[in-house]
Amino acid sequence: MESKPPGEDVNNVVAMRQAEAPKVWSDRLSDLAKTKEKALYIQLFQHFAPKVKAYIIRLGLVETTAEELMQETMLAVWRKAHLYNPSKAAASTWIFTLARNQSIDWMRKQKYPEYGLESWHEEPDEENDVCEQVITSDRMAKVISQLPEDQAQVIYMSFYEGRSHSDISDRLGVPLGSVKSRIRLAAGKIKMMWSDEV
Amino acid sequence: MNIKHHLDEATLMSYTAGSMSQAMALVVACHLSMCTACRERAHESEAIGGMLLDSLKPAPVGDDALAQVLACIDGLPEAEAEALDASYKDTQSCSENKSHLNIGSSVPSPLSIYIGSSLDHIEWTRIVPGVHYHDLPFKTERGGVSRLLRIAPGKAMLPHSHDGNELTLILCGSFTDEVGRFTVGDIADLDNEIQHQPLVDSNEDCICLIATDAPLKFSTLLGKIVQPMTGF
Ligand SMILES: [Zn+2]
């Protein structure tokens, strides 16, 4: 790895390890939707709650707020479990969107414009799509950890710090166009690995 | 709906990361509700968010966090919970239907929260003859402006460029600029490297939803909208 730009911590991206067996969690979440079994929910809670809280803290919110929003998010996991569609997303992806929306709604005191969750509960696609989604999420962990540092950094600043393109551009002192092309390059690489896999 | 102009990859990523201004996110959400192709791409971007969540070092949660959430769940009357979900589903399926309308007056569901389900009852403010706008009631937010513009046939904006990003979604009618022809559902996703001059090219008013992340420049842009296109 080359030198890091000062002030921007990208260690978490560089050191990112492959996510452990995400399929297990996606299975548990879709089972929860069917059974509403508390034992499953508790497992999901214990796995995801600390990650959700870590995500919210990274967005810059204080501990007590992060705790509260984490609880709201995990409550939404229970209440909306029946909307989860394993053919569309890994459990972590779905929970990420819930945590993201809870946090943004709180920070902005207004709802983040959503394109609707209709796509989450469309008719499930064929069975092999489930595998594809899981492989994809798995592969992506590896891909991101292999991105050049300047690309990993803009992904990191977008997802973990919630920074807009202009904000990233200001902070890194690079033109807006470069920020966007780094993000495009990163996305391109991720999707190339995706299509290689399928 | 035959959509030809889609969201830039970087724009989509910013939206799914939750790092986009309210004003811009609204335009993106509207396009996504109209465009299956971009919705698929949005799912791909969201998978990156999920993967990042997977990779985060867990933060300690309150000792009684699980107990509290479980208590909430138990306190949630079954009937109420189902009613909530049912009403949620209703809005969703309703919006899904709406997004499939391809007539000019359809309002994408994320926008209908602000203006209702029809473009016919908007209170327009005139800038110059043939050009009207309607501001969306966002709370003050750094760098976020979005508004509806209604431009009469034959009108155009002066060539302009941007400090930041600019998103323009066509809700009704069409326009043509240097990039191409834009019809209902199409989105012009431009950054500061592109100069363009949209011209309403049919005999129908063009209504579009515009957002920028550089508000001052946006006012300038509006100030530059010109009189009927005689000189072009
Ligand atoms: Zn599209």
Side-chain angles (χ1 to χ4, degrees):
Chain A
M1 290 293 136
E2 303 82 17
S3 65
K4 294 184 192 71
E8 298 299 340
D9 170 23
V10 295
N11 290 336
N12 286 287
V13 174
V14 175
M16 194 175 291
R17 284 198 312 268
Q18 184 178 324
E20 55 158 274
K23 186 170 178 5
V24 174
W25 296 110
S26 302
D27 288 346
R28 282 182 191 155
L29 182 55
S30 42
D31 287 347
L32 175 70
K34 289 176 211 132
T35 64
K36 287 274 167 182
E37 229 180 78
K38 292 267 168 59
L40 281 170
Y41 179 76
I42 291 170
Q43 287 180 329
L44 285 157
F45 186 97
Q46 281 164 345
H47 181 74
F48 283 107
K51 290 178 182 296
V52 166
K53 189 168 172 186
Y55 163 72
I56 297 168
I57 289 171
R58 287 201 163 264
L59 288 176
L61 296 178
V62 296
E63 209 276 340
T64 46
T65 307
E67 177 75 22
E68 199 179 306
L69 291 173
M70 174 277 288
Q71 292 192 16
E72 289 294 328
T73 302
M74 295 312 294
L75 196 57
V77 169
W78 172 270
R79 290 203 10 237
K80 295 184 175 173
H82 63 284
L83 297 172
Y84 172 65
N85 179 344
S87 73
K88 291 286 176 191
S92 54
T93 297
W94 188 70
I95 293 173
F96 162 76
T97 61
L98 295 179
R100 177 197 68 190
N101 292 353
Q102 288 285 349
S103 311
I104 296 178
D105 294 353
W106 188 88
M107 287 189 277
R108 299 185 179 177
K109 305 287 180 269
Q110 54 188 340
K111 280 203 75 56
Y112 194 55
E114 278 184 78
Y115 57 93
L117 295 185
E118 56 264 72
S119 39
W120 300 110
H121 63 182
E122 277 164 7
E123 287 304 301
D125 295 340
E126 287 167 27
E127 197 57 26
N128 56 356
D129 280 358
V130 177
C131 302
E132 180 185 319
Q133 180 58 51
V134 171
I135 290 166
T136 300
S137 151
D138 210 30
R139 289 289 289 178
M140 277 201 210
K142 278 193 266 182
V143 177
I144 295 250
S145 70
Q146 287 163 16
L147 289 177
E149 199 162 307
D150 62 346
Q151 291 170 29
Q153 185 177 41
V154 290
I155 297 287
Y156 173 86
M157 291 175 82
S158 300
F159 278 89
Y160 280 170
E161 298 178 350
R163 297 190 190 286
S164 68
H165 293 160
S166 339
D167 197 7
I168 296 174
S169 154
D170 288 348
R171 285 182 69 93
L172 297 182
V174 299
L176 183 65
S178 311
V179 171
K180 292 175 78 169
S181 64
R182 283 180 195 179
I183 293 176
R184 276 186 215 113
L185 283 170
K189 277 181 194 152
I190 292 164
K191 289 178 184 178
M192 197 166 65
M193 296 294 280
W194 186 327
S195 59
D196 283 354
E197 186 65 33
V198 176
Chain B
M1 200 168 292
N2 184 18
I3 297 176
K4 290 194 195 65
H5 299 277
H6 298 277
L7 292 162
D8 183 277
E9 196 61 44
T11 306
L12 203 54
M13 197 81 101
S14 181
Y15 172 81
T16 53
S19 60
M20 180 170 265
S21 76
Q22 197 75 9
M24 303 271 288
L26 174 67
V27 186
V28 172
C30 284
H31 179 77
L32 289 174
S33 72
M34 298 164 106
C35 179
T36 321
C38 286
R39 259 203 315 265
E40 285 303 314
R41 292 165 64 217
H43 290 151
E44 293 172 13
S45 288
E46 276 162 354
I48 298 175
M51 182 272 306
L52 288 165
L53 187 70
D54 273 334
S55 70
L56 273 176
K57 191 165 162 284
V61 301
D63 291 338
D64 54 353
L66 178 59
Q68 279 182 19
V69 173
L70 288 175
C72 277
I73 288 172
D74 290 335
L76 209 62
E78 204 60 34
E80 184 197 304
E82 272 165 20
L84 271 174
D85 290 337
S87 67
Y88 183 76
K89 266 186 174 167
D90 283 352
T91 35
Q92 291 309 316
S93 58
C94 172
S95 62
E96 177 73 352
N97 291 340
K98 251 181 246 158
S99 70
H100 285 195
L101 289 176
N102 58 1
I103 50 170
S105 63
S106 74
V107 174
S109 54
L111 178 62
S112 65
I113 294 168
Y114 299 98
I115 64 164
S117 57
S118 167
L119 291 171
D120 299 334
H121 310 295
I122 296 167
E123 280 183 31
W124 295 102
T125 305
R126 199 180 78 159
I127 306 171
V128 294
V131 182
H132 296 75
Y133 76 93
H134 173 84
D135 276 337
L136 293 168
F138 285 125
K139 291 173 190 165
T140 315
E141 180 194 333
R142 180 184 166 254
V145 170
S146 73
R147 56 181 54 161
L148 290 160
L149 266 185
R150 196 185 88 206
I151 306 169
K155 307 269 176 173
M157 299 179 204
L158 277 180
H160 63 275
S161 57
H162 326 101
D163 266 349
N165 297 303
E166 180 185 279
L167 292 171
T168 307
L169 175 70
I170 314 298
L171 300 173
C172 183
S174 62
F175 71 66
T176 299
D177 71 5
E178 285 76 354
V179 179
R181 180 154 198 265
F182 293 78
T183 58
V184 175
D186 281 332
I187 191 153
D189 186 352
L190 305 175
D191 61 28
N192 53 349
E193 279 154 27
I194 296 176
Q195 273 243 345
H196 75 141
Q197 179 186 27
L199 163 66
V200 176
D201 62 356
S202 74
N203 51 15
E204 182 186 11
D205 279 6
C206 178
I207 298 179
C208 41
L209 176 63
I210 299 188
T212 67
D213 54 9
L216 289 176
K217 198 73 173 181
F218 187 67
S219 327
T220 313
L221 182 163
L222 279 176
K224 283 184 178 171
I225 292 173
V226 288
Q227 299 289 328
M229 288 271 316
T230 42
F232 292 91

